[in-house]
């Protein structure tokens, strides 16, 4: 089913998206060397609950997972790329961490993911990989608007990823979103321009380019959820929820300018105590 939101619903979607962006930036600031993934999950739970929202992941139980997920946020480290199950792991300098979160509030969901490097080390291949997914996301958003086709977005995303030299997996991609987290239409991370569903004002989409350095093949971790690069190579993932408007596309999960500035200099902003769960 493809949902078209009313203006009132779109206004609630903006609120959900802004809240989600705030939570992700707060968690990014807390993702310092020594932070345990289980603490990030607990902090996510606290922030989501205190804001009167719900995580879409807790009861998520699709056919490919050992559901329900049972945690509040996906934490994927290094070769893990999608559905990273929070577990007892303390972040190390140079780790490439992806935080992927979907929440619902006021009956409307939003979904966003950010990849970044923990600590002071900045491995060049990780920096390049994150940049490629962010540029692909920007290109996908630029291709979206009333009258454009889903294939235009897929083509724009795929062109950037391919040009950057990354194989593209088509098993998992972007999706419609609205009263629930995952809806039609599917938005593959590569495709043919001019094909597919024609975008209309009121449609919400989650666009999410992700890559693995040297393979398009995934393997499932023994935890039954975490999807990893089949070769053990590093991975990155960037996602925003956007709304198709009369004029183009509006990003609903964009961090506030102040948060973006803080994120650039983050690393020292740690407001919680790391915990060991051994
Ligand atoms: Mg997501
Ligand atoms: Mg998504």
């Amino acid at each position: 089913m493809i949902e078209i939101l009313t203006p009132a619903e779109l206004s609630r979607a903006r609120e959900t998206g802004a809240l989600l962006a705030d939570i992700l930036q707060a968690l990014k600031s807390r993702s310092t060397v020594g932070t345990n993934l289980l603490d990030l999950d607990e902090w996510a739970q606290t922030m989501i609950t205190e804001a009167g929202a719900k995580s879409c992941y807790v009861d998520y139980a699709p056919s490919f997972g050992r559901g329900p997920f049972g945690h509040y946020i996906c934490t994927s480290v290094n070769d893990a790329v999608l559905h990273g199950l929070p577990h007892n792991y303390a972040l190390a300098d140079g780790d490439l961490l992806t935080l992927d979160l979907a929440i619902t509030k006021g009956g409307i969901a939003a979904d966003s993911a950010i990849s970044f490097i923990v600590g002071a080390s900045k491995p060049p291949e990780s920096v390049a990989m994150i940049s490629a997914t962010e540029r692909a996301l920007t290109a996908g958003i630029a291709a979206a608007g009333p009258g454009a086709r889903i294939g235009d977005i897929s083509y724009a995303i795929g062109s950037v990823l391919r040009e950057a030299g990354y194989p593209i997996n088509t098993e998992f991609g972007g999706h419609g979103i609205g009263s629930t987290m995952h809806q039609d239409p599917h938005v593959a991370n590569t495709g043919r321009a001019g094909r597919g569903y024609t975008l209309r004002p009121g449609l919400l989409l989650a666009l999410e380019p992700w890559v693995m350095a040297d393979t398009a093949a995934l393997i499932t971790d023994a935890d039954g959820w975490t999807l990893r690069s089949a070769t053990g190579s590093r991975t990155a993932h960037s996602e925003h929820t956007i709304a198709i408007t009369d004029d183009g596309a509006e990003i609903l999960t964009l961090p506030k300018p102040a948060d973006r500035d803080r994120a650039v200099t983050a690393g020292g902003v740690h407001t919680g105590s790391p915990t060991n769960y051994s």
Side-chain angles (χ1 to χ4, degrees), residues 57 100 102 111-112 173-175 177 181-182 206-208 237 239 241:
Y57 295 155
D100 190 354
D111 189 359
S112 180
H175 48 92
I177 181 168
M181 168 172 62
H182 288 145
L207 307 186
E208 46 183 314
H237 180 195
E239 177 177 24
T241 295

Side-chain angles (χ1 to χ4, degrees), residues 23-24 26-32 35-48 71-77 86-87 89 91 97-99 101 116 118 270 273-275 277:
I23 293 172
L24 273 182
L27 292 171
K28 179 178 179 179
S29 297
R30 292 178 175 206
S31 299
T32 53
T35 298
N36 197 296
L37 299 181
L38 293 174
D39 283 325
L40 289 174
D41 188 53
E42 194 177 318
W43 289 327
Q45 177 187 8
T46 301
M47 283 186 266
I48 293 165
H71 288 268
Y72 292 81
I73 187 168
C74 294
T75 56
S76 301
V77 181
H87 60 283
Y89 176 78
L91 292 166
L97 174 64
T98 298
L99 299 176
L101 178 60
F116 54 92
V118 175
H270 185 251
S273 307
T275 308
Y277 290 88

Side-chain angles (χ1 to χ4, degrees), residues 13-14 16-25 110-112 114 137-138 141 239-242 249-260:
R14 288 191 180 98
T16 307
L19 171 64
L20 173 54
D22 283 350
I23 293 172
L24 273 182
Q25 289 303 314
D111 189 359
S112 180
I114 51 174
L137 180 55
T138 300
I141 294 167
E239 177 177 24
H240 274 311
T241 295
I242 65 169
E250 176 183 342
I251 306 174
L252 303 183
T253 48
L254 205 58
K256 291 194 285 281
D259 286 336
R260 287 204 293 273

Side-chain angles (χ1 to χ4, degrees), residues 256-270:
K256 291 194 285 281
D259 286 336
R260 287 204 293 273
D261 294 345
R262 195 161 61 229
V264 170
T265 56
V269 188
H270 185 251

